[in-house]
Amino acid sequence: MSTLGVNIDHVATVRQARRTVEPDPVWAAALAELGGADAITVHLREDRRHIQDRDLEVLRRTVQVKLNLECAIAPSMIDIACRVKPCQVTLVPEKREEITTEGGLDVVAHRAATEEAVLRLKDAGITVSLFIDPCPQQIDASVDLGVAAAELHTGCYANAATEAERHNELVKLSRASAMVRLAGLELNAGHGLTYRNVVPVARLDGMGELNIGHSIVARAVFVGFTQAVREMKSLISG
Ligand code: PXP
């Protein structure tokens, strides 16, 4: 059965729009736990556009479920991760000009830098997951690096313009999921998942953690955070 990692970045996005203290992502994390979140996910971006260092520090001390930190492979970010020691770090690509993470980490092209980051995190006792596109080369490279988990990028599935395209993307995700599981890695997925498109991904064989942010935060504006999380949790566990 899939588990739910609630990404609370966009609570911080609203706060940073006014550079004030509310809404506090730390409150959102507590409410997400009440709604049944299995993990809390935050992306500490190099430009600090939403989550701040203070948020990560406080969440490390207050979150009772798994805390998953997404960050770039840059040594300065790995320094922070090794100091704060979240339960899991998911390494993601990062471009300053992007609106959100646009593709998976290219583990093949950035093999040496990724390996360095993975080794440092593993030495610090942190579980490492790599956010990758659902393609065989990226999965093979991730397996070679000895990480515990792979998070498959579901953006192409989520953005598919037609039913046929969506079906093709789901087939790709299904094949990639089987490869990840066969290699003995934990299988996670995320990006662009919504209340309308999540179920087929949640039902893929061996699917573990689904990391979902924007859609939950968007619904929470109207129904409240705990309720929004509860509704997503019930969809993926159904
Ligand atoms: N997983 C990863 C690795 C991400 O970078 C993001 C976006 O920060 C998500 C999941 C969540 O994506 P969304 O906000 O579209 O649900």
Side-chain angles (χ1 to χ4, degrees):
M1 194 178 76
S2 309
T3 59
L4 178 60
V6 177
N7 182 316
I8 55 176
D9 291 350
H10 292 314
V11 176
T13 302
V14 176
R15 179 192 59 193
Q16 295 311 110
R18 287 292 171 91
R19 303 271 190 280
T20 176
V21 294
E22 61 182 8
D24 192 332
V26 174
W27 288 30
L31 295 175
E33 286 193 35
L34 281 179
D38 302 287
I40 300 297
T41 295
V42 289
H43 184 174
L44 187 68
R45 295 187 70 103
E46 289 180 277
D47 64 10
R48 305 297 197 273
R49 69 171 73 152
H50 38 57
I51 294 295
Q52 305 296 304
D53 297 66
R54 165 269 179 199
D55 301 330
L56 180 62
E57 307 271 353
V58 179
L59 289 166
R60 181 69 188 92
R61 281 182 274 132
T62 54
V63 167
Q64 298 299 309
V65 293
K66 173 173 162 183
L67 178 64
N68 173 38
L69 169 66
E70 293 174 3
C71 69
I73 56 176
S76 58
M77 300 310 298
I78 305 302
D79 288 347
I80 294 172
C82 289
R83 183 172 49 75
V84 176
K85 288 194 181 16
C87 315
Q88 175 175 289
V89 167
T90 302
L91 294 173
V92 300
E94 206 174 286
K95 286 195 229 112
R96 275 177 190 262
E97 63 279 16
E98 70 193 356
I99 292 178
T100 181
T101 319
E102 280 164 1
L105 179 64
D106 190 341
V107 183
V108 178
H110 303 290
R111 190 183 163 110
T114 308
E115 185 165 28
E116 170 78 26
V118 169
L119 287 175
R120 287 188 60 200
L121 292 165
K122 282 172 76 175
D123 274 355
I126 299 167
T127 299
V128 184
S129 177
L130 299 179
F131 181 55
I132 54 172
D133 289 333
C135 82
Q137 295 84 340
Q138 297 297 336
I139 297 169
D140 283 340
S142 303
V143 173
D144 279 354
L145 292 186
V147 292
E151 178 175 333
L152 298 179
H153 192 301
T154 50
C156 290
Y157 163 79
N159 294 332
T162 64
E163 260 323 298
E165 210 182 294
R166 176 158 303 187
H167 175 76
N168 285 343
E169 293 300 333
L170 190 62
V171 170
K172 272 192 217 161
L173 284 168
S174 167
R175 291 192 182 130
S177 296
M179 257 187 95
V180 168
R181 295 296 296 150
L182 202 63
L185 270 60
E186 276 174 42
L187 173 64
N188 304 330
H191 209 279
L193 296 176
T194 68
Y195 294 83
R196 291 193 176 83
N197 68 19
V198 74
V199 169
V201 177
R203 288 198 180 140
L204 291 173
D205 257 1
M207 184 52 70
E209 186 176 285
L210 295 177
N211 282 303
I212 308 178
H214 184 267
S215 188
I216 292 176
V217 175
R219 185 168 291 210
V221 170
F222 301 109
V223 306
F225 217 88
T226 306
Q227 178 64 17
V229 171
R230 207 176 274 136
E231 288 173 20
M232 184 60 85
K233 173 88 177 177
S234 123
L235 270 178
I236 71 169
S237 354

